[in-house]
Amino acid sequence: MKAAKAPATSGSQIRELGVAGLAIIDAVRVEFGPGLTVLTGETGAGKSLIVDALSLARGARADATAIRAGEDRLRVDLLISGEGGEQVIAREVHAEGRSVARIDDQLVTIGRLAAEVAARIEIHGQHDQQRLGDRARQRDLLDRWSECIPVRDQIAALVDARATLFEEFEALGGDDARREALLAIARAERDDLLAAAIEPGEVERLREELRRASSGDRIEALRGELLELLDDDAAGLRGRARLLDRAARELQKLDDSATALAERIGALSIEIDDLARDVSARGVSDAPARPAAEIEERLGLIHSLERRFRTDEAGLAEALERSSAEVQRLEGAAARQAAIIEERAVLAAKIGDLALNLRASRATGAVDLKRAVNTALTALALPPTFEIEVRAREGGADDPLVDGAPCAVDRSGGDEVEYLFAPNAGEPAAPIAKIASGGELSRVSLALEEALSDASEGRTLVFDEIDAGLGGRAGETLGRSLKRISAQHQVLCVTHLPQVAAQADVHLHVSKREEGGRTVTQVRRLTDDERVVELASMLAGDGAGSGAAAAARRSEEHTSELQSPYVI
């Protein structure tokens, strides 16, 4: 047995998969390796359930009916390695329909799960071709093949800069009529606030002034009553204080101990005199300077401004600053807008030149990629009718000119890219996403992956029964194609063809058995000798003899001549 070489695959890889409670799977745990891994076994054993589990882990729609009978939930967990280290992905589907996703034990939404995982695990099966039909992805793949990503990045930077200038232009009021309307509004707001001349704390002072103005008559009446009582020498407080003072002095002459009492009575007399003077001093000078109606009108003006600007008294000062600044900005906007128009025109010219260069690179790259994919399709027993259409987007008056015509250039350039294919002779090519046969779609995906493997980042590619409808010779070609792709990506393939399985670096056998009256799925990694038996069985059935085993060994020996970097 040869020693395993260091893996050549870079990027993201699945290290381990755990599945529990999914259909006939009670609980299985599978370890994957780099290179090409195949899953074989009888129909109905549960091979496609492994693919379904991977679909759930990458954010596919959950169906509670897939939960194993008698269980309250199903669970899928993945250990994925990549340049950023290892991640644990978990997905649970509960019987009541609730779905839970976690990344490294942190709860995430299903959308976040899909964003994190879907790009790292790509499934090519009978019903999983959404990404293949994604025209944005088709364009990205062509650009990687054509090595024009740097030009796209330049266009993206210029498009962003031009969009920023447009936002500034609009913020300055847009065209002349709109700007004048905004300027009139800003001036009206500024002038109304200036005319109001609101002082800090004025509302509180006005409220106090209004309170006194509203109670002025009652205050004057009470003041009069106090003066009348204080000025009444016969019966008033002042007269009584004087009588007390005189009696206290007489008492002091007769009794020395009464000195303190005499002093207190004397102080009371003085306090009453001071009180009378203070009450007399309060008069017209303390009354509000304006009537209550005028004060209420001023308060009403301030409150109306607060409602208009949706703020309080302190915020009105800030509103005045903003409106004044807006008036100043809009009054100088015309000159800045003229400069923006010139700057946008310069950027548009640069964008147009780069977009034309990008279009030429795409057209050249499309010819080469088409040739490479059609070569792979021929080997996979499909007609070489793959096409790549590169067409310009139509633009408007404000869009850059590309090759003399207005073109709607965005961050990806000014072209629409679409992959076409004609699986049936005599029929016109149609968008690849509309091809009916899932097996054909999978093989087209494989041909694309093989052609583009050097131009794409390492990830996990899953092919579910891609060999549907293929014979032995085409199957061998398919296996070799998968093998070549596995030098760049981790590849998992569900297959029924021994010619494909013979190319594997890791061979997993899926089987089912009855246990306790229940059907249970088992996934097991085969040894070298077990692989020979399995390949022989796939070649000639369970009753295969020594001839089939010998053919299986020759198939393995032939596979080793491919010098795979992954040898079991």
Side-chain angles (χ1 to χ4, degrees):
M1 186 182 298
K2 297 180 181 179
K5 297 181 180 179
T9 304
S10 59
S12 176
Q13 293 186 49
I14 300 175
R15 302 291 297 277
E16 192 172 318
L17 166 68
V19 186
L22 175 60
I24 60 173
I25 296 179
D26 180 22
V28 299
R29 186 156 296 276
V30 185
E31 293 184 4
F32 296 106
L36 173 61
T37 297
V38 298
L39 291 92
T40 66
E42 294 181 1
T43 300
K47 300 185 298 299
S48 291
L49 290 177
I50 301 298
V51 179
D52 293 341
L54 292 173
S55 295
L56 288 172
R58 65 194 296 274
R61 183 183 296 274
D63 186 354
T65 61
I67 299 175
R68 181 174 171 83
E71 302 291 336
D72 60 354
R73 63 177 178 172
L74 68 83
R75 177 182 173 88
V76 177
D77 58 80
L78 286 180
L79 175 62
I80 301 181
S81 65
E83 294 180 0
E86 292 185 340
Q87 276 188 319
V88 176
I89 310 297
R91 177 84 181 273
E92 291 182 356
V93 180
H94 294 253
E96 69 272 19
R98 182 169 56 95
S99 183
V100 178
R102 291 183 177 86
I103 298 178
D104 289 335
D105 285 333
Q106 181 180 2
L107 282 172
V108 297
T109 64
I110 302 302
R112 165 77 186 283
L113 179 73
E116 287 276 345
V117 183
R120 302 170 67 179
I121 302 174
E122 185 168 336
I123 297 177
H124 301 279
Q126 301 292 311
H127 307 288
D128 296 281
Q129 302 300 329
Q130 295 91 340
R131 281 175 58 81
L132 182 60
D134 184 354
R135 288 193 294 179
R137 179 171 178 267
Q138 292 175 3
R139 182 180 56 232
D140 291 345
L141 293 175
L142 175 60
D143 289 347
R144 288 195 180 97
W145 169 274
S146 306
E147 298 182 349
C148 54
I149 296 296
V151 178
R152 265 184 57 170
D153 291 343
Q154 294 179 53
I155 292 174
L158 294 177
V159 167
D160 288 346
R162 195 164 183 263
T164 300
L165 287 174
F166 179 76
E167 291 173 0
E168 183 183 354
F169 184 91
E170 288 296 302
L172 291 171
D175 56 29
D176 291 342
R178 183 167 179 267
R179 185 177 64 254
E180 287 300 322
L182 292 175
L183 180 57
I185 294 173
R187 282 173 175 164
E189 291 178 347
R190 179 201 61 184
D191 294 345
D192 289 347
L193 289 168
L194 284 173
I198 301 170
E199 299 176 356
E202 183 176 355
V203 170
E204 188 60 34
R205 293 195 298 272
L206 286 172
R207 286 172 178 165
E208 175 61 23
E209 188 177 356
L210 179 62
R211 185 185 65 79
R212 288 191 288 107
S214 301
S215 306
D217 293 342
R218 179 58 179 158
I219 292 173
E220 187 63 24
L222 291 173
R223 188 183 68 82
E225 292 179 15
L226 287 172
L227 286 175
E228 183 178 352
L229 290 171
L230 291 170
D231 288 339
D232 187 355
D233 288 341
L237 292 175
R238 184 181 296 169
R240 292 180 181 180
R242 289 173 180 171
L243 290 175
L244 287 170
D245 183 49
R246 187 164 49 250
R249 284 197 299 270
E250 289 293 332
L251 179 62
Q252 183 180 8
K253 292 177 182 179
L254 299 174
D255 185 359
D256 291 339
S257 65
T259 301
L261 179 61
E263 290 176 353
R264 291 175 61 190
I265 292 174
L268 176 61
S269 179
I270 295 172
E271 179 64 23
I272 290 174
D273 287 338
D274 290 342
L275 180 60
R277 283 192 296 272
D278 286 346
V279 172
S280 298
R282 296 182 63 86
V284 179
S285 60
D286 292 326
R290 48 188 167 175
E294 183 178 338
I295 300 171
E296 289 175 345
E297 182 179 358
R298 176 65 176 172
L299 278 171
L301 171 64
I302 296 175
H303 290 328
S304 68
L305 290 173
E306 289 176 342
R307 289 192 298 272
R308 177 179 171 185
F309 291 95
R310 297 181 180 181
T311 186
D312 54 13
E313 179 188 4
L316 291 176
E318 298 175 1
L320 175 58
E321 292 180 4
R322 287 196 302 271
S323 60
S324 298
E326 183 70 358
V327 169
Q328 184 177 5
R329 186 180 70 86
L330 290 172
E331 286 177 342
R336 176 56 187 153
Q337 283 186 322
I340 289 175
I341 291 173
E342 293 181 4
E343 293 175 26
R344 279 174 55 82
V346 172
L347 289 178
K350 293 180 179 179
I351 291 170
D353 291 341
L354 288 172
L356 184 59
N357 293 338
L358 178 59
R359 183 175 299 165
S361 297
R362 283 171 170 167
T364 301
V367 172
D368 295 336
L369 179 57
K370 168 188 170 182
R371 184 183 302 114
V373 172
N374 280 326
T375 298
L377 287 175
T378 300
L380 293 172
L382 286 177
T385 55
F386 178 78
E387 300 283 346
I388 301 177
E389 184 179 85
V390 179
R391 60 181 180 272
R393 295 197 200 99
E394 293 184 4
D398 188 52
D399 289 314
L401 296 178
V402 181
D403 199 18
C407 181
V409 181
D410 60 16
R411 302 182 83 255
S412 68
D415 309 314
E416 293 293 343
V417 175
E418 189 164 30
Y419 295 173
L420 309 173
F421 184 58
N424 302 310
E427 296 295 326
I432 201 168
K434 297 181 180 180
I435 300 173
S437 168
E440 288 170 341
L441 277 173
S442 295
R443 275 176 274 165
V444 172
S445 299
L446 177 61
L448 277 166
E449 293 293 355
E450 182 174 359
L452 294 163
S453 59
D454 292 336
S456 57
E457 297 177 356
R459 59 195 186 280
T460 300
L461 305 178
V462 182
F463 294 94
D464 185 12
E465 298 189 3
I466 189 177
D467 51 17
L470 291 184
R473 181 168 298 180
E476 183 176 353
T477 303
L478 171 64
R480 291 180 179 180
S481 179
L482 291 168
K483 189 72 167 183
R484 285 191 292 269
I485 294 174
S486 70
Q488 174 67 18
H489 307 285
Q490 182 187 41
V491 179
L492 310 180
C493 181
V494 176
T495 183
H496 292 285
L497 289 180
Q499 293 85 353
V500 174
Q503 307 288 340
D505 301 300
V506 176
H507 192 149
L508 300 175
H509 183 258
V510 183
S511 60
K512 63 181 179 180
R513 68 180 188 279
E514 185 177 326
E515 185 177 290
R518 301 288 304 276
T519 300
V520 177
T521 291
Q522 179 180 3
V523 181
R524 190 167 57 86
R525 180 169 178 163
L526 300 182
T527 64
D528 289 349
D529 291 339
E530 288 172 334
R531 282 190 64 187
V532 172
V533 174
E534 173 66 7
L535 291 174
S537 177
M538 295 174 72
L539 279 168
D542 290 337
S546 58
R553 288 192 180 90
R554 285 197 301 273
S555 179
E556 279 207 307
E557 291 170 358
H558 179 64
T559 300
S560 67
E561 294 174 1
L562 295 176
Q563 296 181 349
S564 167
Y566 316 106
V567 181
I568 297 176

